[in-house]
Amino acid sequence: MIQQGEKPPFLPLALATPRIRRTDRPDGGFILHSEEPLSDYPGHMGLVLQAQAESRPDAVFIAQRQADGSWRRVTYAQAWASARSIAQALLDRGLGQTAPVMILSANSIDHALLMLGGFVAGVPVAPISVAYSLMSGDFAKVHHIFNLVRPKLIFAEQGALFAKVLASLNLDGVEVVTSDGAGGTVLKDLLNTGATSAVDARLAQIVPDWVAKYLFTSGSTGLPKGVINTHRMMSSNQQAITQIWPFLQEKPPVLLDWLPWNHTFGGNHNFNMVLRHGGTLHIDEGKPAPGLVEKTIANLREVSPSVYFNVPAGYAMLLPYLERDEELCRRFFGDLRLIFYAGAALPPDLWARLETLSIRTLGKRVTMTSSWGSTETAPMVTAAHFPIERAGVIGVPVPGVQLKFTPSGGKLEVRVKGPNVTPGYLGDPEKTAQAFDDEGFYCIGDAAKLVDPDDLNRGVVFDGRIAEDFKLTTGTWVHVGGVRVAAIAACSPLLQDAVVTGPDKPYVGLLAWPTAAAKDMAPDELRRQIAEKLRAHNKSQGGSSLKVQRVLLLNDPPSIDANEITDKGYINQRAVLERRHADVNRLYADPPDADVITVTDS
């Protein structure tokens, strides 16, 4: 019997028990790794598709909502046949490791088939953020990526939609392929190509260290970096997931997912996880944005996911619908076994509301978890494959990965080594050399700390980006990651996101974006509530580096072109501060403008 105040148990879920070992180092740092060795894994992703087509030919692999509201579904057998045809067409055109495919379109079945065809043909694919083509004013990032990748074929599903960016490129010797036939070769021509023994020969020729993808990161400043993603990186990462999440082998996963495939999480973690385990991926044309979240809700009325992935902003927009619609809530939780948040720490109120709905609907708690990694690690480095009671814990190193902790400015910088780590950056040997230390560990730029030094299996906590931390004029260090997460949580549900200000200033401030709900409030009342919440927050903080004294709410959204935000919703602290230096000056002006929120002690 559950005692008063005691939480109900977790819904049963098969997770591997962590067994973590620590090796201390002379510099005061240490290395963590799993005692569970990484088992053998397929040599490349083309073999994974072939194996699923042979073992689950009639199972639905990918489904996508069509314009008439029906679902287009592709089975594993159909995906394999289409990938072989596309592979033959790519080989016929002379594509290979040095002649890649560039994909401008968003997630779709046709996008997936072309990507799979690249896997089977040993042709790298480079999926590019749609925002760079459709939301950019100058196409500078597309031009930069085009010149780096030097593709021999570009896929733009809707030719007319991408006509402007295509017209800005020098396409001599580059074939444009579209699904609708507007402005190039029709994809159907590739799909109608008869596969020959040349495809089988190429499939047998591919080795783990061949390039599978080029994924582009916006970085802190400047133009995107092309991260080389090999088959070894992706396949080994999926093997690690298989070992830590054995429940995936009990029943093939069902996903409804919007996370973009030009990002490592949607394109590597989620897509490849479904493929590796013979599951079904429903492509969600919705996303956490006004006018689009409604599409996600409509899809959730028809699809009950077994694992649900989203970013905190997505859960914030989803929760009101679940809370007021019991039937939708039953559909959402009906088959759900794992709730996963990525991109930022889940604010405590969102965590509690999800947990409350789980208990109300199922009588038990669905496990909520997260992991940590980067585009350069394909992506998983650590994972919390054990029940956790709060956000912030990013888990333990997964099998095959070494996590090195190195003292750095009062923190522990973490570095990574393993088969999932990139060999480097496309066309940039200088950045590649800078990315690794003298022991071959990838310098990811983050800090972490142990939850409990006496119990390594309780995991580590993300402790911010090393490069983002700064000193106040008092000489006190401000650890940006912790301050940001704590301040947003304290102001919940009023702030969508924020950047921390204060380098060479006397106190900490915030440039912040209000949530959609907060924008409906009267401005004076909104500012009053934020000040009140931060005043209470500051009273519980121990020093000036943890207290927020001023806030300026921003009306204009973060800019894609200026690197302020990715299409997945990640805010770039450094880019925002550089672009909005006038706002920073306003924040610290004396006396402050009327719209600057001043948090007093009383």
Side-chain angles (χ1 to χ4, degrees):
M1 175 179 288
I2 299 172
Q3 301 298 316
Q4 186 175 2
E6 184 180 329
K7 289 184 177 181
F10 288 99
L11 202 67
L13 184 69
L15 298 170
T17 302
R19 295 189 296 118
I20 304 302
R21 182 180 294 274
R22 169 175 174 161
T23 303
D24 290 318
R25 297 168 59 84
D27 64 357
F30 52 91
I31 292 176
L32 297 184
H33 73 273
S34 173
E35 293 183 357
E36 181 71 27
L38 184 68
S39 299
D40 293 339
Y41 47 87
H44 60 85
M45 299 308 296
L47 294 177
V48 178
L49 175 60
Q50 180 183 29
Q52 296 297 355
E54 292 172 353
S55 63
R56 295 175 52 79
D58 299 325
V60 175
F61 175 17
I62 309 174
Q64 181 180 13
R65 182 85 73 178
Q66 300 183 107
D68 64 2
S70 65
W71 289 91
R72 175 188 174 192
R73 295 179 172 88
V74 174
T75 66
Y76 278 94
Q78 292 168 334
W80 172 239
S82 296
R84 283 175 55 80
S85 292
I86 290 173
Q88 182 67 58
L90 298 179
L91 294 175
D92 290 345
R93 288 161 167 76
L95 274 73
Q97 282 285 285
T98 58
V101 169
M102 187 169 163
I103 299 177
L104 299 182
S105 298
N107 302 3
S108 71
I109 286 177
D110 287 350
H111 179 154
L113 295 178
L114 193 54
M115 179 165 58
L116 294 167
F119 290 168
V120 172
V123 175
V125 295
I128 310 305
S129 169
V130 174
Y132 294 172
S133 295
L134 303 185
M135 295 176 65
S136 171
D138 56 14
F139 306 131
K141 292 180 180 178
V142 176
H143 286 202
H144 167 72
I145 292 169
F146 177 82
N147 292 329
L148 266 181
V149 173
R150 293 182 295 175
K152 196 164 184 178
L153 185 149
I154 294 179
F155 176 65
E157 187 159 359
Q158 298 166 285
L161 192 62
F162 291 88
K164 191 173 181 180
V165 67
L166 289 169
S168 73
L169 299 170
N170 179 2
L171 297 177
D172 289 345
V174 180
E175 182 177 10
V176 174
V177 175
T178 67
S179 296
D180 58 10
T185 302
V186 185
L187 179 63
K188 189 175 292 184
D189 291 347
L190 277 65
L191 290 167
N192 289 337
T193 305
T196 71
S197 59
V199 173
D200 300 314
R202 176 55 62 90
L203 196 70
Q205 184 184 4
I206 301 170
V207 296
D209 290 325
W210 276 24
V211 179
K213 290 181 182 179
Y214 297 115
L215 292 179
F216 284 83
T217 65
S218 58
S220 299
T221 58
L223 293 167
K225 295 182 292 184
V227 182
I228 299 168
N229 275 229
T230 66
H231 285 277
R232 183 187 304 280
M233 291 169 61
M234 297 194 302
S235 190
S236 66
N237 215 233
Q238 288 304 315
Q239 179 58 38
I241 292 172
T242 298
Q243 292 179 222
I244 65 170
W245 288 355
F247 73 90
L248 293 173
Q249 300 174 70
E250 298 174 354
K251 185 179 180 181
V254 175
L255 268 62
L256 175 72
D257 192 32
W258 66 269
L259 294 166
W261 295 343
N262 60 281
H263 282 282
T264 186
F265 205 86
N268 281 348
H269 187 285
N270 295 358
F271 185 93
N272 290 343
M273 186 189 78
V274 172
L275 174 59
R276 174 65 189 270
H277 294 92
T280 301
L281 172 60
H282 297 83
I283 297 171
D284 183 10
E285 71 275 21
K287 63 185 302 185
L292 291 175
V293 69
E294 293 82 0
K295 295 184 177 182
T296 295
I297 299 304
N299 289 334
L300 283 172
R301 295 190 190 281
E302 297 184 33
V303 179
S304 294
S306 61
V307 184
Y308 192 69
F309 297 94
N310 216 326
V311 296
Y315 288 112
M317 299 194 78
L318 174 63
L319 272 162
Y321 291 90
L322 295 175
E323 288 168 335
R324 63 175 176 252
D325 189 331
E326 288 190 15
E327 178 57 31
L328 176 66
C329 200
R330 282 194 294 269
R331 291 287 299 176
F332 180 72
F333 283 101
D335 295 325
L336 197 60
R337 294 297 173 266
L338 188 69
I339 296 174
F340 193 106
Y341 64 91
L346 194 66
D349 76 300
L350 298 185
W351 182 287
R353 289 163 68 189
L354 280 166
E355 199 168 70
T356 297
L357 288 174
S358 170
I359 294 168
R360 189 181 77 188
T361 308
L362 303 174
K364 295 183 179 180
R365 292 184 286 167
V366 172
T367 298
M368 289 191 279
T369 192
S370 189
S371 67
W372 169 79
S374 70
T375 307
E376 289 85 349
T377 60
M380 186 180 281
V381 174
T382 67
H385 51 99
F386 47 88
I388 54 178
E389 297 287 349
R390 63 180 178 85
V393 178
I394 58 175
V396 295
V398 298
V401 169
Q402 295 182 65
L403 193 61
K404 182 167 74 170
F405 291 71
T406 300
S408 175
K411 286 192 173 186
L412 288 171
E413 179 187 351
V414 282
R415 302 176 182 181
V416 186
K417 183 184 285 188
N420 60 320
V421 175
T422 182
Y425 299 104
L426 176 64
D428 201 331
E430 184 176 344
K431 278 192 174 65
T432 297
Q434 293 170 353
F436 296 88
D437 68 15
D438 55 6
E439 294 180 300
F441 282 82
Y442 169 61
C443 303
I444 202 167
D446 291 343
K449 56 187 178 184
L450 297 172
V451 173
D452 182 353
D454 296 322
D455 186 357
L456 303 178
N457 295 325
R458 294 186 61 190
V460 299
V461 177
F462 177 72
D463 199 23
R465 297 280 298 169
I466 293 291
E468 290 179 348
D469 293 348
F470 59 82
K471 282 185 178 182
L472 298 172
T473 52
T474 59
T476 304
W477 275 101
V478 175
H479 299 309
V480 167
V483 171
R484 173 185 165 275
V485 169
I488 293 174
C491 292
S492 182
L494 302 178
L495 296 186
Q496 181 69 48
D497 217 324
V499 297
V500 179
T501 66
D504 299 320
K505 303 291 185 182
Y507 50 82
V508 174
L510 293 180
L511 296 179
W513 288 272
T515 60
K519 290 177 183 177
D520 294 333
M521 298 173 60
D524 287 347
E525 176 61 15
L526 174 60
R527 289 193 287 268
R528 186 194 69 77
Q529 288 195 24
I530 289 174
E532 183 178 297
K533 287 174 179 286
L534 285 175
R535 190 176 302 116
H537 166 74
N538 287 349
K539 286 181 180 179
S540 66
Q541 305 304 308
S544 61
S545 65
L546 302 173
K547 297 179 179 181
V548 177
Q549 296 193 28
R550 288 191 183 181
V551 182
L552 178 61
L553 298 179
L554 303 174
N555 294 317
D556 60 318
S559 165
I560 285 271
D561 280 347
N563 278 342
E564 288 187 321
I565 191 172
T566 72
D567 50 359
K568 195 175 169 184
Y570 292 176
I571 298 295
N572 183 329
Q573 165 96 10
R574 185 185 303 175
V576 170
L577 293 180
E578 288 180 355
R579 181 169 182 259
R580 299 175 188 262
H581 60 274
D583 289 323
V584 175
N585 290 338
R586 286 187 60 214
L587 191 64
Y588 289 91
D590 194 16
D593 291 342
D595 60 341
V596 172
I597 301 168
T598 301
V599 184
T600 59
D601 291 334
S602 57

